[in-house]
Amino acid sequence: MKKMASIVVAILLSIMPINIAFANNNSTINISSKSAILMDVGSGQILYEKNIHEKLPPASVTKVMTMLLVVEALDSGKIKLNDNVQITGNASGMGGSQIFLEPGEAQTVDTLLKGIAVASANDACVAMAEYIAGSVEDFVGMMNTKAKELGMKDTNFVNTNGLPVENHYTSAYDIAIMSKELLKHDTINKYLTTWMDKVVVGKKQVTVGLANTNKMVKHYQGTTGVKTGFTQQAKYCLSASAKRGDTHLVAVTLGAQTSPERFKDASSLLNFGFANYESIKLCSKDDNVATLTLDKAEENKINLVAKDDLTVLIKKGSSKDFVKKIKVYDNPNLPLKGGTKLGQVEVYKDKKLIGKVDLVNTKDINKASYIQMLQRVIDSML
């Protein structure tokens, strides 16, 4: 259907230093958790690792994927925050952490998402799964499909909330990947960073106070999320993200023996990252980056924008040149929906790819009419 255009724009950015030779020196940080990772959200670079592909029970950190599917449904317009969700007996019967939903009541997506993100509500997870997919089983199928799309090879989900069940597992690396993906969605930011709130639930309209299970929201500078978890089998788990300037990092710790240990480990990882690395933003989401010429389209000049922010991570104090290449597809088949990938920006150092972002069209592209094509032929002759 598509092939890459033969003309590639290569720009030497000598004024923009970068060094990708990261010192992944695990001995500089003392981590007590069974498994841990520190990842740059922008580039995906791994700055620290300890047993990152070990398959472990994630407890409620599972809800990172649940929230990701909810915000994707919101951003696509499939659901809205003010939609009313009918609560089933299945949802209200979930044990563990909950907001005490009752069968037969209706709650908004906004309330349920708040319950999941702030209070780690198992009942709200099931309610949203049933609303989006029709059943928990189908929603779990969506979770596993999304995991495969993201390249999460150490993961198998069996439920939406992380309650103990056989064959439900993931890894620190996979959690970092899905956390990174969740953090791309602006919709979720206010929920992940809410410290305290309340919801009104039940047929008697009872007010339930919510306190964020992620204590770093209050106690760590620049915290942006993400999610805690605990079961007797999984022990204390955490995906914690923070942003300072353009540098956005996520630290995942699994299998800590105590709750303070997981927060201490995550803080140590984030401190290490912010002390030693910084991100350089090359372009922002929705920036116009390239123009695609399509002779057979209604509008033959198509603006291509960055699908996400493009950042590269450098070690503080380092300075080296890198090359940015802009590639666009040649003669894609028409028509095309808005948001279709039609190119890519790639950043290289010593011929090694260190960062990339997709280029997409902002609106639908339709075929030109016969009259338009004839007029273009006439114009070219004149």
Side-chain angles (χ1 to χ4, degrees), residues 354-373:
I354 61 169
K356 62 183 179 180
V357 66
D358 291 341
L359 298 178
V360 299
N361 52 311
T362 58
K363 55 185 179 181
D364 294 349
I365 304 173
N366 297 312
K367 290 183 179 180
S369 67
Y370 174 78
I371 298 299
Q372 286 176 307
M373 293 298 297

Side-chain angles (χ1 to χ4, degrees), residues 282-283 289-290 306 310 324-327 343-348 353 355-359:
L282 300 185
C283 69
V289 176
L310 174 59
K324 181 173 74 173
K325 295 181 179 180
I326 301 173
K327 301 178 179 181
Q344 194 171 65
V345 180
E346 299 175 345
V347 182
Y348 290 86
L353 181 66
K356 62 183 179 180
V357 66
D358 291 341
L359 298 178

Side-chain angles (χ1 to χ4, degrees), residues 15-286:
I15 60 172
M16 199 80 75
I18 187 166
N19 187 335
I20 62 165
F22 298 122
N24 192 5
N25 186 355
N26 294 357
S27 64
T28 61
I29 317 174
N30 183 22
I31 299 298
S32 59
S33 295
K34 188 174 185 179
S35 173
I37 190 171
L38 177 64
M39 180 180 286
D40 175 48
V41 171
S43 66
Q45 291 283 350
I46 298 173
L47 306 180
Y48 174 93
E49 59 181 270
K50 176 183 178 182
N51 303 326
I52 63 172
H53 291 292
E54 185 173 355
K55 296 175 181 178
L56 296 169
S60 284
V61 182
T62 298
K63 293 164 184 156
V64 172
M65 180 61 81
T66 302
M67 290 187 287
L68 175 57
L69 293 184
V70 172
V71 295
E72 285 188 341
L74 285 166
D75 290 350
S76 70
K78 180 179 179 180
I79 63 174
K80 295 181 174 60
L81 284 172
N82 60 0
D83 285 355
N84 284 318
V85 178
Q86 295 296 318
I87 306 304
T88 65
N90 186 38
S92 67
M94 288 293 105
S97 54
Q98 55 186 301
I99 53 174
F100 305 101
L101 300 172
E102 292 184 7
E105 70 168 303
Q107 286 291 351
T108 64
V109 170
D110 175 67
T111 295
L112 296 174
L113 185 53
K114 185 187 299 182
I116 297 168
V118 180
S120 193
N122 296 327
D123 48 359
C125 287
V126 173
M128 283 308 310
E130 293 175 335
Y131 184 62
I132 290 173
S135 70
V136 171
E137 292 75 18
D138 286 344
F139 189 85
V140 170
M142 291 172 61
M143 293 170 70
N144 286 312
T145 297
K146 188 65 182 181
K148 289 183 174 65
E149 290 175 3
L150 295 175
M152 296 166 55
K153 298 180 180 179
D154 311 319
T155 296
N156 185 67
F157 294 117
V158 178
N159 61 35
T160 65
N161 44 41
L163 287 171
V165 63
E166 188 177 353
N167 208 34
H168 184 93
Y169 57 82
T170 186
S171 67
Y173 176 83
D174 283 1
I175 291 171
I177 291 296
M178 66 179 179
S179 298
K180 183 167 80 76
E181 190 69 17
L182 177 64
L183 291 166
K184 291 180 181 179
H185 295 267
D186 295 337
T187 307
I188 198 65
N189 291 344
K190 71 173 183 178
Y191 298 96
L192 295 179
T193 56
T194 296
W195 173 236
M196 298 191 77
D197 209 327
K198 58 186 178 181
V199 294
V200 178
V201 300
K203 296 173 183 177
K204 294 183 178 180
Q205 296 290 278
V206 176
T207 299
V208 176
L210 309 179
N212 204 314
T213 57
N214 181 8
K215 306 309 177 186
M216 295 183 72
V217 168
K218 184 176 182 179
H219 299 294
Y220 192 86
Q221 178 190 346
T223 294
T224 57
V226 178
K227 190 72 195 70
T228 61
F230 170 77
T231 64
Q232 288 295 335
Q233 181 187 17
K235 302 303 180 185
Y236 292 90
C237 307
L238 174 65
S239 175
S241 60
K243 187 175 185 179
R244 297 179 185 175
D246 288 327
T247 308
H248 201 177
L249 304 174
V250 59
V252 178
T253 60
L254 299 177
Q257 291 300 310
T258 68
S259 182
E261 279 184 13
R262 65 178 168 186
F263 292 121
K264 178 178 180 294
D265 284 351
S267 297
S268 296
L269 289 169
L270 292 170
N271 288 342
F272 169 80
F274 288 124
N276 291 281
Y277 300 93
E278 61 181 331
S279 294
I280 295 175
K281 182 182 287 188
L282 300 185
C283 69
S284 298
K285 181 180 179 180
D286 297 327

Side-chain angles (χ1 to χ4, degrees), residues 293-306:
T293 300
L294 294 175
D295 293 334
K296 296 181 180 180
E298 279 183 340
E299 298 179 29
N300 60 353
K301 299 292 184 182
I302 309 299
N303 288 329
L304 301 183
V305 303

